[in-house]
Structure formats: structure tokens, C-alpha cells
Amino acid sequence: MLSSVDTGGLVEFPPHVLREYALLADGERGALVGPRGEIAWMCAPRWDSDAVFSTLIGGRGNYAVCPIGRFVWGGYYEGSTLIWRSRWITDDGIVECREALAFPGDPECAVVLRRITAVEGAARIKLLLEPRAAFGRRGMTSLSCSDGIWTAKVGDLYLRWLGGETAQPGQFGHGRESLAARLRLREGEAHDLVLEIATKPLDGDPIQAGKAWDATEHTWQSAVPELPNNIARTDARHSYAVLRGLTSRGGGMVAAPTTSLPERARQGRNYDYRYVWIRDQCLAGQAAAASEAFPLVDDAVRFVASRLLDDGPKLRPAYTTAGDDVPDERELSLPGYPGGRDIAGNHVNRQFQLDVFGEALLLFAAAAQADRLDADGWRAAEIAADAVAARWGEPDAGIWELDPSPWTESRLICGAGLRAISAVGAPAAKTRDWLGLADSIVAETSATSIHPTGRWQRAPDDERVDAALLLPIIRGGVRVDDPRTLATIDALLDDLASENYLYRFRHEAGLLGDAEGAFLLCGFAMALALHQQGRDVEATRWFERNRAACGPPGLYSEEYDVGQRQLRGNLPQAFVHAVMLECTARLARPWQQP
């Protein structure tokens, strides 16, 4: 059997079920903190960089603050921030570790803040710092300590660590490329740790913990609005904080901070979501607009409009936060999260997704309705509408990124987007053309994609019902009282619903949960659709059921395993938090068509 030394501490810090991880994020990168105080995942310097802490998927990088001896774990976020407090009840008392990424983040330097406090009784703590660049392949070099401050290189990055002055390389069974120490605190005593990981030598003065904490608290308090008109306000503000933490200073919001977390064990459905999906960004912007929380609207408009102005009808489904192409998928030669395999990159650049143009138009319409669409935004809207006119007849990969087909949802969401942008101040000639185009798209789709029972079907050659069809219904692609709308909602409830969770579509005969987990995006979308129909008791039941599909840190993954009550897929998934946020706004009042 391999020892913990041989495996870089993986025996001591194994992966956990996803519901037990908390997110730290600063807009430029994110970290997952596990219940043993381990930062099991963080890429640096940016979201799509290689990981320096990667035990989550079998790498060797780790940064742990862990009580010595027996303990039980808990934790909570401070207010509506991404400042997390790990909390352990030990045999001797209570220990907390307050942790955050200094906020707002610097794209060239990650700053990890950790403050350990002996809340009740004395505390005995183990510290372990073992950053390893390139997903665990490259350990620390040039390691030295001066005046109690450690410095090193980690691959091409530079490191500085304050607060670990008693640490030594290779202590307590860990490898020579790690720093480990034991720390004792008296009751009420606190100890700060500040870790900097940068792209350039850290020649300036070290960051002072107190000032960094004050700035981070202040920035979070000003970044998250009160949302006084939303229901479930605490959870609404938390979802907003997650979306804000995933949004870079350039406006791009990553779909998730992680890669390779499996949607289904041993099924090969592992993806890298550390990039900006245009659709997801639009959903987040629309949710923020419904909540009258406009900074995230402005971020979404700025990023999406820039991509349309640059790429026009060749708009790609996803980009890096810098607006660059997503790299192709590659394997990392790591064990992966249990049940999954390790990958980086994504083949999404090879796809055409028609629906992103419709979602962009819906985003721009929501911004214009709030008088927040500038001249560049209107130009981008015209480009998106022209792209729909030129390309709506082409097969596309659709929202679920499947083999190209004339997907019904893609076409109807474009019709919804054209109608929405026509209603918010577009020039009369454009309005006439766009409304005519919307009518043509819906009419052609109706001629080819209506099931014999009167509902919409997935595609002309695919009679199945699909939960994605809720999105154009909610957005006004067809009338609220249209018989096709009512028949589609009823079919979804009959065929794809289970215990107020909703699955995307049927893969094959058999139980729904045998093929994949319920999609939380779809469950929240059903809550919106039922509310739109005036079925408010049912809508609330769906909302509350899906709202509970998270762990103690309140983070949502893409899928939820209903039978095992487990999160599946990358964590957290931004578009789930987005549609949850939209539910908290729209369910608080009578339906108003976006």
C-alpha cells in the first residue's frame, strides 16, 4: 500500500462528496475548501490556468489547515459574501478558520487569506503547504525563509507565505517539496496566514493580513445588493455572491471553477467548464436584471457585446475570460475525481450553437428595458439579429451540445430574443424586420416540430419532449396561453418529472435516474413556467424542492442525484445559481413578461 508520503498526502486528504466543499473566489480564480481544511482545488493565476492545488482530481497540490485529533466539521459564509468559516468541534473545544481570496482579485496575483481562531478551549492545528504547478507535476523550488517569511518558485509562478514561520520542509511524513508545522493556540488566540502566488517576483512589501481582510470585507459588502424584493433573500444574495465571485474584471463569468467532476460515474461525461459560456452569461444577466441588480447586467452586456462585435455571426459558444479561444480538450494523466477522468480544455469551439444569439438578444433587451444598453450594445444586438437571419436554418449543437440538428429550442429562443429586442426601443424599420423574422422562425418550426399530441418536440426527427423547451416558453417565444405551450408543460410534468425534480430528456427506456441526474436548471425553469401560468402553489413547490438540492455551503452543481441526494458535475454551476436567483425575483410578484 502506498503511504501518504508517496501520494503527496492523498491518503490523509482524500476527496469528499461534493456537497461538503465551499467556494472561495475573487473574480479571477476560485478555490474549493474541503471539510478537513484542505484547499483541494485552485488554478493560478487565472480560472483556466493549470491548477496549483489539485487533490480534488488526484493531483498532489494541497494547502491545509486541519485540527489535530478527532473533530466534526461544519462551516458557514459570513453574510452575503464568499468569506467562509470552517468550524470544527474537537475533543478540546471549537476551532474556526476564516478563509477567503482577497477581493477583488488581481489577475496576476492570487492572495489566500486564512485566520485560525481557538474559539473555545486550546487548539492544536496542523499546517501543510504543498503547492504543485501543472496539475501537480512541478513542486516548489528555490525554497527559502527570511524573517519568518517563506518564498519559493512553483513552476513559472512565485510564492510568498506569511504566518508559517515554524514550518519546515518535509515534516510529519510529507515530502521535501512541502512545508508543514504544528500550531498551538490558547483560547481566544488567532493566527493569520497569507499566501501569495504571482506571475512575477514578489519584491514589494508583504501583504498585511488586517488590511487585506478589511478590504475584502468592505468590497464584498458593497458588491452584493440587498435584493429587498426577492423571496428567500438570504439564498438569493448568496447566489448573487457566487455569480459575482465567478465574474472577472473583464466582465466574463466562468460556467464553473472546476474541471473533470463527473456527471455520472464511469460514463465518460466529464467536462472542463472554467470558461465563459455565452448562454450562461446571458442567463446570469437576465436573472440580475429581474432582481434589479445591475452591475452583473452591465458585466454580461459588456462581455457578450464585445464578443459579438469581434466575431459577428461566427460567435463561438464559449471563450476564456480574456476573450480568447477555449483550448481543445486534453488528458492530464491524473487519477481524476472518483468515478471520473481528468481533462482540461473543451471541444465547444468546434460547435455552432444557434441559441446563443437568441439569448444575447434577450440579455440586451433586459438591459435596454432598464436603460442600460449603450451604443455598442445596440450594435451588438443588430449583429445578433442579423446572425439569426443568416443562420437560423442551419443545424446546431443546441443547449445540450449534442450532434447538430434543427433543435426546436434553439429556433424558438431566437424568436423570443427577436421579439424582446423589438419591444424596447429598436428603430421602426428594424422592429418590423425582426418581428417578421420571429414569426417566420416560429411558423417554420411549428410546421416541422409539433408532436401529434400538440406539444413541441425536440427536433423534426426527434419526437421526445425536452426540458430545454421551457426557456422559450418563459421568454415569450410563444404565447403564454398557446395550446402548444400548455401541452408541452403537461408533457414535461408527465414524462420527465420526479419528486419535483426535472430531467432534461429521456435517453432510453427505463427509470429517468438511471441515465443521469435531474438538471437543477430545468427544475428552476419549471418553477418559472408554472408561475407564468398562474399555478403559484406548484411553482413554489418546485422552487423549494430544487432550492434544497445543495450542501451546507449552499452551492449547486449541474445535476442532482435524486436517489442518493448527491451533487453531480462541476461545482458550483453558474447557470443554476442564475436561474435560482431569477426565481427569487419573479416568484415574489405576479408574472411580468421579460
Side-chain angles (χ1 to χ4, degrees):
M1 178 181 293
L2 293 176
S3 70
S4 61
V5 176
D6 295 329
T7 59
L10 293 182
V11 172
E12 187 174 1
F13 294 100
H16 299 269
V17 292
L18 296 181
R19 65 171 180 263
E20 294 183 340
Y21 286 100
L23 170 72
L24 313 178
D26 64 5
E28 307 302 331
R29 62 198 62 84
L32 291 191
V33 183
R36 298 184 68 82
E38 74 275 28
I39 295 182
W41 180 258
M42 191 177 86
C43 298
R46 298 178 184 163
W47 296 106
D48 59 329
S49 303
D50 289 359
V52 292
F53 304 129
S54 57
T55 56
L56 184 68
I57 62 170
R60 292 186 58 189
N62 193 3
Y63 180 24
V65 172
C66 184
I68 296 172
R70 301 195 313 154
F71 61 83
V72 292
W73 164 85
Y76 60 95
Y77 283 105
E78 294 183 8
S80 297
T81 75
L82 293 187
I83 299 173
W84 174 254
R85 282 186 183 260
S86 295
R87 182 177 174 89
W88 301 284
I89 311 300
T90 71
D91 288 334
D92 301 317
I94 300 173
V95 187
E96 288 188 352
C97 184
R98 188 187 198 208
E99 27 210 350
L101 292 178
F103 184 61
D106 180 341
E108 304 303 325
C109 182
V111 180
V112 184
L113 303 175
R114 311 189 86 169
R115 175 173 288 172
I116 312 160
T117 302
V119 178
E120 291 184 13
R124 295 181 302 131
I125 302 293
K126 177 178 176 178
L127 307 180
L128 172 64
L129 176 62
E130 187 184 15
R132 296 187 67 90
F135 295 100
R137 291 190 294 272
R138 302 174 66 183
M140 288 190 291
T141 59
S142 305
L143 184 62
S144 66
C145 185
S146 177
D147 297 327
I149 300 173
W150 287 97
T151 59
K153 281 203 71 178
V154 187
D156 295 329
L157 301 173
Y158 296 84
L159 174 150
R160 181 163 59 188
W161 191 37
L162 285 74
E165 57 271 11
T166 62
Q168 293 295 324
Q171 292 292 295
F172 316 123
H174 294 280
R176 294 292 301 173
E177 294 176 323
S178 68
L179 291 168
R182 286 176 178 160
L183 180 68
R184 292 180 178 271
L185 298 177
R186 297 183 298 273
E187 184 175 66
E189 189 177 2
H191 184 83
D192 277 307
L193 301 168
V194 180
L195 174 66
E196 301 169 73
I197 302 176
T199 59
K200 300 176 182 178
L202 293 159
D203 296 328
D205 293 335
I207 290 175
Q208 299 300 308
K211 291 182 179 180
W213 276 117
D214 289 346
T216 297
E217 291 171 26
H218 175 77
T219 307
W220 272 116
Q221 288 166 3
S222 61
V224 180
E226 291 295 324
L227 304 181
N229 299 319
N230 294 50
I231 62 171
R233 193 167 70 91
T234 298
D235 286 355
R237 297 186 74 213
H238 179 52
S239 279
Y240 187 98
V242 170
L243 296 172
R244 176 61 188 87
L246 299 178
T247 302
S248 69
R249 65 177 59 190
M253 180 198 74
V254 293
T258 54
T259 180
S260 304
L261 299 183
E263 295 176 0
R264 200 71 174 173
R266 307 302 177 194
Q267 296 298 309
R269 294 207 294 270
N270 303 72
Y271 305 102
D272 185 354
Y273 285 164
R274 299 172 298 149
Y275 311 103
V276 184
W277 260 255
I278 296 295
R279 177 192 308 105
D280 300 22
Q281 182 101 59
C282 292
L283 291 173
Q286 292 171 72
S291 301
E292 298 182 346
F294 296 116
L296 279 183
V297 181
D298 297 341
D299 285 334
V301 168
R302 179 160 47 104
F303 189 88
V304 175
S306 294
R307 305 289 77 72
L308 276 162
L309 292 170
D310 287 346
D311 295 335
K314 296 183 179 180
L315 178 74
R316 287 180 281 282
Y319 296 83
T320 71
T321 54
D324 298 326
D325 289 348
V326 173
D328 282 340
E329 186 176 298
R330 72 184 195 277
E331 294 186 359
L332 299 173
S333 301
L334 295 175
Y337 186 86
R341 63 185 181 88
D342 60 309
I343 60 169
N346 197 292
H347 292 319
V348 68
N349 273 344
R350 303 179 185 178
Q351 299 177 2
F352 165 52
Q353 296 179 18
L354 173 67
D355 68 303
V356 299
F357 296 106
E359 292 290 358
L361 289 169
L362 288 163
L363 169 67
F364 297 148
Q369 193 169 32
D371 196 25
R372 303 185 80 87
L373 193 66
D374 61 11
D376 281 346
W378 276 109
R379 284 194 293 273
E382 292 188 18
I383 291 170
D386 290 344
V388 172
R391 304 196 67 180
W392 74 269
E394 298 178 31
D396 78 298
I399 185 173
W400 306 135
E401 300 184 357
L402 304 173
D403 290 337
S405 184
W407 297 110
T408 302
E409 188 273 338
S410 293
R411 294 181 169 192
L412 293 182
I413 205 70
C414 286
L418 290 164
R419 288 173 176 165
I421 198 67
S422 298
V424 290
K430 293 291 185 184
T431 295
R432 182 177 60 253
D433 292 344
W434 292 346
L435 289 176
L437 177 59
D439 290 344
S440 296
I441 292 172
V442 174
E444 171 65 20
T445 307
S446 181
T448 60
S449 300
I450 295 294
H451 190 266
T453 60
R455 60 163 173 82
W456 296 103
Q457 62 186 42
R458 301 181 78 207
D461 59 351
D462 190 336
E463 293 188 347
R464 288 173 292 177
V465 70
D466 191 315
L469 293 166
L470 288 171
L471 294 176
I473 288 172
I474 294 164
R475 304 303 183 205
V478 288
R479 295 194 322 272
V480 173
D481 58 353
D482 189 302
R484 297 167 297 186
T485 296
L486 304 178
T488 300
I489 293 173
D490 288 343
L492 288 167
L493 292 171
D494 288 343
D495 196 46
L496 297 181
S498 176
E499 302 180 34
N500 294 112
Y501 296 106
L502 197 63
Y503 294 81
R504 295 186 299 168
F505 52 86
R506 284 194 178 273
H507 291 260
E508 55 195 15
L511 298 176
L512 286 166
D514 288 347
E516 66 180 14
F519 259 62
L520 297 179
L521 166 72
C522 300
F524 286 122
M526 179 59 79
L528 290 172
L530 291 170
H531 179 54
Q532 184 185 47
Q533 293 294 323
R535 298 161 65 173
D536 288 343
V537 172
E538 293 173 82
T540 301
R541 187 179 297 121
W542 275 83
F543 169 69
E544 292 295 356
R545 187 65 157 163
N546 286 268
R547 180 164 73 112
C550 59
L555 302 178
Y556 298 108
S557 61
E558 187 171 30
E559 296 184 22
Y560 185 69
D561 188 319
V562 177
Q564 298 184 39
R565 300 181 185 271
Q566 296 287 359
L567 309 184
R568 304 294 187 205
N570 285 295
L571 180 79
Q573 192 79 20
F575 65 29
V576 180
H577 284 273
V579 184
M580 184 273 181
L581 175 63
E582 184 171 355
C583 280
T584 68
R586 297 203 185 280
L587 268 63
R589 58 181 185 260
W591 182 265
Q592 298 172 350
Q593 188 59 48

